[in-house]
Amino acid sequence: MAEYGEWNRKGATLKWLLLVPCLLLSGVSLGQVSEENAGVRIEPQPNQAVKPESSPDLAEAAADIVKRTNDFRRDQDRETLDVNPKLEETARYFADFMARTDRYGHRADGKSPAERASHHGYDFCMISENIAYQFSSAGFATEELVKTTVEGWKQSPGHRKNMLDPAVTEIGVALAYGEQSGNYYAVQMFGRPQSMTIEFKVANNADVTVDYRIGDQTFPLPPRAIRTHRQCLASELSFQWPGGQGSKTVQPNDGNRYSIERDDAGQLRLDAG
């Protein structure tokens, strides 16, 4: 018997400043959160489960899950992930909690994966989590436990998406055994650290309001205004010049400043620095 669950969170923030005396607007937050609590509460059995003779090495299993996940990513032309000790600590805490209480779900302890990662000191701009539990009266060999867990995640669209997300860079995995239920609980966490957030500015030095797009959101920028964006992931920046004067698309990098100017012929242009 096996059960799987996945959770992910991605976010972005921005702030902007109008170059007009005594007017400052900052700290506007943007973000998108999606989560799926694909899990059930497993009631503890009245009598303690008898641990089967075939008991996997859980530390070895966790390391093998990391390896197989990276092999899977490599096969799908994704970058491999580095093990982060704080993500590993977070995964270990939650696997132990579910094993001790036999409560299953991404909020089994009353916190979200993002809150658990923050509590254990992981400063992220992106976080996601896969969980699973398995039971077999015959027990599991280490390789069997790893294989069934990883294959179960790979065959589920949401878990597979988390495993292959090109944006994440780090991983932490842990497993634990529930003495009461006999279930093995697995937690796989993915992250992208806050240090990888990029920041760039857009300045409008022209005399008209200019619209630009980042992803699926449009931002109007008035004359004599500067807006600062901070993004976990860099999305294309597309400018639409007013009056049908054309458009311009760029890929922002950390520290870029884009200035909208009007040239000698009266046409709008974008200067990048």
Side-chain angles (χ1 to χ4, degrees), residues 243-266:
Q245 297 183 47
S247 61
K248 178 73 173 180
T249 299
V250 294
Q251 181 66 55
N253 294 308
D254 189 41
N256 282 158
R257 177 188 173 99
Y258 298 96
S259 298
I260 302 165
E261 309 285 348
R262 194 178 288 281
D263 62 22
D264 294 339

Side-chain angles (χ1 to χ4, degrees), residues 62-125:
D64 198 10
I65 288 175
V66 172
K67 178 183 180 302
R68 292 184 187 223
T69 299
N70 275 333
D71 289 344
F72 182 40
R73 288 177 64 89
R74 193 179 297 110
D75 290 343
Q76 299 296 317
D77 297 322
R78 302 290 197 274
E79 295 291 329
T80 57
L81 307 175
D82 296 325
V83 174
N84 180 280
K86 292 179 180 178
L87 281 180
E88 198 171 44
E89 181 182 348
T90 306
R92 185 177 302 110
Y93 152 77
F94 195 45
D96 288 344
F97 175 88
M98 290 191 291
R100 185 177 69 255
T101 63
D102 286 309
R103 294 178 180 176
Y104 179 76
H106 294 287
R107 293 183 179 270
D109 64 343
K111 300 181 178 66
S112 70
E115 290 170 329
R116 287 191 291 273
S118 293
H119 179 77
H120 287 87
Y122 187 69
D123 190 16
F124 65 89
C125 69

Side-chain angles (χ1 to χ4, degrees), residues 1 9-10 29-30 36 60 62 64 91 97-98 107 128 153 158 171 185 202 218 223 257 259 273:
M1 179 184 71
R9 171 173 178 165
K10 302 178 182 180
S29 295
L30 299 174
E36 175 182 336
E60 180 182 333
D64 198 10
F97 175 88
M98 290 191 291
R107 293 183 179 270
S128 57
W153 283 332
I171 188 173
Y185 293 89
V202 181
T218 299
R257 177 188 173 99
S259 298

